[in-house]
Amino acid sequence: MTMKLRLPGRPEELTIPALLARNAAEHGDLPALSWREGDGWTTLDWTEVRRKVAVLASGYAALGIERGEHVLIMMGNRPEHWLTDLALVHLGAVPVTVYGTSAPEQTAHIARHSRARVAVLEGAGELDRWEPLLADERVPLERLVVAEAAEAGPHRTYGSLHASGARTHRPEDFEKAWRETRPEDPLTVVYTSGTTGDPKGVRLTHRNIMLQAVRIDGRTDLPEHAEHICYLPFAHIAERILGIYLPLLRAAHVRLVADPAAVGAAVRELHPVQFFGVPRVWEKLAASVRAVLAQLPAAQRESIEAANDLARARAGHRERGERIPAALEASYARAKEQVLDPLLGLAGLDRLVWTASATAPMPIDVVRFWAGWGITIMDAWGLTETSGVCTINSPDGFRLGSVGRPIEGLELRLAEDGEILTRGATVFAGYLRPDGSVESAHDAEGWFPTGDVGRLDEDGFLWLTDRKKELIITSNGKNVSPALVENTVKEHPLIGQALVHGDGRSYLVALLVLDGEVAPAWAAARGIEAGPLDRLAEHPAVRAEIAAAVDVANARLNRTEQIKRYRLLTEEWGPATGELTPSLKLRRRVVREKYGALIDALYDDPYEEPHDPYADPYADPHGEPHEEPRRTGPE
């Protein structure tokens, strides 16, 4: 366990307010929260954080917020959000952050379902969506609080609420309120981002979260009081853990980045020792690096590739638990100092000692790309319902491409169809009902079906296949993991995103999205005039390269998994256009509906090589049998 700070109780007895009290008393002068103001950073230490939280709690109490009451928050990563969250928790209220990119119908559903009377918003952009709900008889919402005073209109401002708290604050009331909080009390409700259907409310207790934080801390190796760059939405369970709860446990320093697009600039400035990114973030970072490398002179690229090979060889020894040969260690140290670190330093990545990802299967080529830079991404797996992480790779035990081994105190087993079941103290009790009660999601033995499909290897590492609901069942009755096929074809840097379709069909087709960062650099390196991306996508060289990439991917897949036809697109999918969730997961239904005509067109004419439903699924297109292609990691 890396944390050496005193815990104010046993892990299962901890609450968030108890940790904040400890931090103010024992680490009060350490930086706790920073955010951008103008050209610099404004910072609060832990003493100042607790003082502001106490004042805000008094302000919300004066507004009528009571213990157990849900309060909705829709703000970016700004101090008002972070401090409000903690202030509500100290009152015994339950903060519920709503994604800023939620569709109006999702926002309305959460407002109805949560029964919240108050919503705390950022500014005019949020008011447009929330004001109509005040007049909706089906929604209990009564009041809005707005952080941007100039945009608040007739609504209560955050500043006035803080001023009210300063006038009415009584330290004895504040201390009494938080000491009444019990580990089994609800800490937050997180609404799932809704890849299908309405978001579900996941109620998590202090005990769920505190055990999760302690166990994650035990599987990482970080300096004490390390900085965390906080840029993912607080509606995402990963950022709630990494950006609020773990920093409280570790008395660490949170750097708020209000605009996710500015995270790269923040990393370049701060050179963090830890960084978390969902797979799409790591993919885009890798694409940016590849685009730069493509423009370097051949001799410099060869030097970098040689250093990459050394880093991967070293990572391989660590992965297998082997002692690193002295000659390799010495060669890698020179390459790191002379080649890798100077380049990583330009991106602010040269001080990283812990990097992680979660939420979806990480493409193995992306993992190995970063391993070539000495950056081992400790992939993890979990759900909102499990308080975040269920399994995690760690420096003392990892397998690249896997999502690691279970955290302490969590059990896993696989159902007959490969679905992953889990139980333990970090697993939620159930989904929130509209009347405020909780509906259990466990079976009679306490197992929670996660909806993910995977396998466990002989060393206890979990390897994800896909979401159970997203598995494709072809007309021949074969099961296909779309994520496996998509990640295989995305290994070519020109292909930034992909969706594979084939449910009920005799073969697979795909929509491929040309990577807007890599493609222009790729073209320039070959003397091709880039021009607009849609025109570049029609260039014969690009089309030939994409066709070759599909062929290479197909050669690694069994016959059922192979892409028979595809369409190349040029507009990147994202949350704003609806194809990705706010946590950057692919919304397959939305993509299929939006591009339904294109998908149907790929099936309009009979494929020239009809699939024999009785053929060996592991035979190649010419009828010669071969072994089933190796998935990520050992069988």
Side-chain angles (χ1 to χ4, degrees), residues 4-40:
K4 300 179 179 62
L5 309 181
R6 180 191 66 84
L7 291 180
R10 296 187 302 174
E12 64 272 18
E13 297 173 345
L14 294 177
T15 65
I16 287 295
L19 288 180
L20 183 56
R22 178 210 59 182
N23 290 352
E26 300 178 16
H27 312 283
D29 59 348
L30 289 176
L33 186 69
S34 296
W35 63 94
R36 276 282 189 192
E37 282 192 339
D39 295 331

Side-chain angles (χ1 to χ4, degrees), residues 430-445:
Y431 294 107
L432 189 69
R433 293 191 180 106
D435 65 0
S437 62
V438 170
E439 179 181 2
S440 175
H442 306 76
D443 67 14
E445 297 179 345

Side-chain angles (χ1 to χ4, degrees), residues 212 215-216 218-219 379-382 389-394 396-397 402-414 420-424 426 447 455-457 459-463:
Q212 171 79 193
R215 290 166 182 176
I216 291 176
R219 297 287 290 274
D379 208 358
W381 166 75
V389 164
C390 288
T391 63
I392 188 171
N393 284 287
S394 58
D396 61 352
S402 85
V403 290
R405 292 185 285 207
I407 62 172
E408 179 188 354
L410 194 82
E411 296 178 83
L412 290 184
R413 72 177 177 87
L414 301 182
I420 307 164
L421 311 180
T422 185
R423 67 181 178 185
T426 54
W447 292 100
R455 61 182 177 81
L456 288 164
D457 68 19
D459 295 319
F461 288 87
L462 180 67
W463 302 79

Side-chain angles (χ1 to χ4, degrees), residues 313-322 324 376 378 395 398-399:
R314 181 178 183 273
H317 285 285
R318 291 183 61 213
E319 184 178 9
R320 295 185 295 271
E322 301 169 351
I324 301 169
T376 305
M378 297 299 174
F398 66 91
R399 296 288 185 274

